[in-house]
Amino acid sequence: MTDLEQGLPGYERLELLPDPELADTQDWDAGQWQSDFEASLEALTLFLRIRDPLAILARTASRFILINPRVERPEMPKQVEVELTQILMLLNRHRPSTNPVSPNNLGRYWRLVRRHLRGFMNKQPNTGNETDIERFVSRRARLFTRYYRNIFSREDCERALNGILRQVDSPSEAALGYRLSDLFRAAIRIIDLVQERFKIFTERLHNLLDTKRRSELVECIDFFCSSYPLASRVWGNCTNRWVDLEDLRMAAFQMSEFAHPWIYTLSRADLDAAFPAPIVDALYSLAIRPNSLSEINPEHIYLNNPIWRRPYVLVNDGSLFAPLPHLIVSFPFVILESLMEGHRTLEVAYEGARANYLEEAITDLVTTAMPSASVYRGVAWDDPDTGQVWENDVVAVVGNFIFVFEAKSGRIKDAARRGGSLSLRKNFSELFVQPGVQSGRLQNYLDTR
């Protein structure tokens, strides 16, 4: 199974490493994990309710960005932990607190998030109606939905999405009032805007930690105090409190921990200066205001998180908050397809563009890999045994060898991503079995003629 999985394009083996902090749970059953899951959810919800949620979310996002992804450890932060923090903040029905969070409590929060997510995976009951392989595949589907991100690199994502969306510029402008390709490029640009702010922030932080001049240190303090109200309120008038430079530096560093929301906050004026008005309005349509998801079943956020469709947060002053701006790379199709819903002409044009782009991409890859081959698209042929006309997407001929490629631009259904056995079977048949059968018809025809 392992070798097969590793051989599937776009597939990566994913397993959760044993967590030493959960050593005492190894023999737990689903019921015990359910109880622990509920308790941890209550604790997380309370934690975000009595402290400044934007400060917690921003610091969690920064922690995820700063950790070296090449060093795999159980405690290594994952994107899903930031996603969970964001959606729990949005689901909070109470007025947001402005209380600070201490470093020790923040560390405790991150450990609790990790435990809570493990609890969700382990609380799934054994229904008794599934075979061993069905349980294995269902768990694997939930595991990938929960943790696996970014099957695209950013470069590949831009190439593919631009290639698809440019084909529907006219119908998207007619249906939505803007081009989806322009919106996609704007969302990609937001990644850069946040990265630029992150660079400014970290440069100030490095200067705060390294400078030997009190005047420069005070400038850094002023920057962080002006970045976010909580940082300013925590600092108060403490600049002259410490005579010793190192004491002042350490106190200022602690204060800077509350200024991280500045990195991910984009004002309306910033966005209006960067993008045309219709695109700015579209970006705002992809934002969720806290306490606006009352219709959402909280149990569904783990395998169908609303922020996968609408990745930004609309804060009270009208700014967009983007703690995970690269969600446009993680879920580009989910985000953009949600905007097309109800516009049937656009949806049809888009489905055709997906299929056309995939066939073109396969043709280009095959032509590059086999420059001496004769490559054909849309090969139609008559089957004398059935009287039907069949079509194969891409066929390459090299000497006495014929390579047949089928391009399936379908998608994994939401029910399959949640581990639904029936949906998984249907999706697997549509995307893997039926293309093989389709290619086999041509092979059989050529073998018998």
Side-chain angles (χ1 to χ4, degrees):
M1 177 62 73
T2 297
D3 292 340
L4 175 61
E5 291 169 353
Q6 292 300 90
L8 291 174
Y11 195 97
E12 175 182 294
R13 185 171 66 249
L14 177 65
E15 293 293 349
L16 296 179
L17 297 176
D19 191 335
E21 294 188 7
L22 300 178
D24 60 339
T25 66
Q26 292 180 357
D27 297 326
W28 280 14
D29 59 23
Q32 290 171 296
W33 275 113
Q34 176 69 43
S35 298
D36 191 80
F37 169 82
E38 293 172 357
S40 60
L41 177 59
E42 183 177 353
L44 291 171
T45 303
L46 177 62
F47 192 99
L48 290 167
R49 187 168 73 238
I50 64 177
R51 298 171 178 87
D52 190 313
L54 280 184
I56 297 170
L57 176 56
R59 189 61 187 87
T60 303
S62 295
R63 172 177 177 257
F64 171 67
I65 294 172
L66 288 168
I67 293 297
N68 183 354
R70 291 171 294 183
V71 182
E72 180 67 22
R73 300 185 302 272
E75 70 275 13
M76 173 180 159
K78 295 178 174 58
Q79 180 173 320
V80 62
E81 297 170 14
V82 189
E83 295 173 4
L84 179 65
T85 300
Q86 181 169 333
I87 188 59
L88 289 179
M89 183 202 74
L90 291 169
L91 288 172
N92 178 28
R93 298 181 181 181
H94 300 267
R95 181 178 179 179
S97 171
T98 58
N99 292 327
V101 55
S102 70
N104 286 340
N105 277 332
L106 196 54
R108 181 169 62 85
Y109 171 82
W110 291 330
R111 291 191 296 273
L112 192 59
V113 167
R114 192 166 69 245
R115 183 184 185 102
H116 182 68
L117 290 169
R118 291 291 183 108
F120 175 81
M121 292 303 304
N122 293 331
K123 76 183 184 70
Q124 307 301 323
N126 183 355
T127 62
N129 298 322
E130 296 177 316
T131 64
D132 289 344
I133 188 63
E134 286 175 332
R135 281 193 294 273
F136 173 84
V137 172
S138 293
R139 176 179 170 80
R140 183 57 59 91
R142 288 190 291 268
L143 188 67
F144 269 64
T145 301
R146 185 64 273 164
Y147 287 96
Y148 187 44
R149 297 291 179 269
N150 302 338
I151 60 171
F152 283 124
S153 67
R154 172 175 166 173
E155 180 182 350
D156 288 341
C157 181
E158 290 187 56
R159 182 185 305 111
L161 269 294
N162 283 323
I164 295 170
L165 296 175
R166 284 171 181 158
Q167 298 181 56
V168 296
D169 274 348
S170 294
S172 66
E173 191 165 19
L176 305 173
Y178 57 87
R179 296 178 177 181
L180 282 170
S181 60
D182 290 340
L183 176 61
F184 173 71
R185 285 191 291 272
I188 290 293
R189 175 60 183 149
I190 284 180
I191 299 176
D192 295 331
L193 293 176
V194 170
Q195 287 177 340
E196 290 165 9
R197 294 174 75 86
F198 191 87
K199 181 179 179 182
I200 293 170
F201 190 94
T202 53
E203 286 175 348
R204 288 282 191 170
L205 187 59
H206 290 155
N207 194 25
L208 182 150
L209 294 173
D210 296 337
T211 184
K212 304 301 181 184
R213 298 180 179 179
R214 188 180 184 90
S215 60
E216 291 184 359
L217 182 53
V218 171
E219 287 181 7
C220 294
I221 291 171
D222 291 342
F223 168 79
F224 290 119
C225 284
S226 65
S227 296
Y228 190 61
L230 178 60
S232 178
R233 185 163 60 86
V234 166
W235 189 251
N237 297 314
C238 292
T239 302
N240 296 322
R241 179 176 177 180
W242 288 278
V243 176
D244 182 81
L245 188 66
E246 293 307 312
D247 290 342
L248 180 62
R249 188 195 314 280
M250 290 301 100
F253 173 73
Q254 293 294 328
M255 176 271 292
S256 72
E257 292 284 276
F258 303 116
H260 282 257
W262 179 86
I263 300 171
Y264 309 100
T265 303
L266 300 172
S267 70
R268 180 79 190 217
D270 293 334
L271 296 171
D272 285 337
F275 311 114
I279 297 300
V280 174
D281 290 340
L283 289 171
Y284 270 84
S285 75
L286 295 176
I288 302 175
R289 184 185 294 277
N291 194 22
S292 65
L293 296 175
S294 57
E295 76 283 1
I296 296 296
N297 183 341
E299 184 71 19
H300 294 170
I301 65 174
Y302 303 91
L303 297 176
N304 191 19
N305 195 329
I307 73 168
W308 296 345
R309 286 172 169 251
R310 299 168 65 192
Y312 310 123
V313 177
L314 179 60
V315 295
N316 289 335
D317 66 359
S319 298
L320 280 190
F321 193 74
L324 286 170
H326 57 278
L327 282 174
I328 190 61
V329 176
S330 300
F331 299 97
F333 298 109
V334 175
I335 292 171
L336 295 166
E337 288 169 12
S338 71
L339 298 169
M340 305 180 204
E341 293 176 358
H343 301 280
R344 187 57 188 160
T345 300
L346 175 56
E347 290 175 325
V348 171
Y350 169 75
E351 293 296 336
R354 278 176 62 116
N356 183 60
Y357 176 82
L358 183 56
E359 287 188 22
E360 286 183 351
I362 292 174
T363 302
D364 290 343
L365 287 171
V366 172
T367 301
T368 301
M370 297 185 288
S372 62
S374 298
V375 182
Y376 306 93
R377 286 182 60 186
V379 176
W381 53 280
D382 295 312
D383 185 350
D385 295 333
T386 63
Q388 288 186 275
V389 177
W390 301 103
E391 182 174 320
N392 296 92
D393 295 324
V394 180
V395 175
V397 180
V398 183
N400 293 327
F401 294 93
I402 298 177
F403 298 87
V404 183
F405 301 88
E406 290 302 319
K408 293 299 178 184
S409 60
R411 57 187 59 79
I412 304 296
K413 299 296 190 294
D414 287 345
R417 288 170 55 83
R418 294 193 295 267
S421 296
L422 292 177
S423 186
L424 280 167
R425 286 179 178 273
K426 183 178 180 180
N427 261 178
F428 189 84
S429 176
E430 291 173 346
L431 299 178
F432 291 94
V433 177
Q434 292 179 23
V437 172
Q438 193 168 341
S439 299
R441 292 192 190 100
L442 179 57
Q443 178 183 353
N444 182 65
Y445 173 80
L446 295 173
D447 287 344
T448 58
R449 294 298 183 274

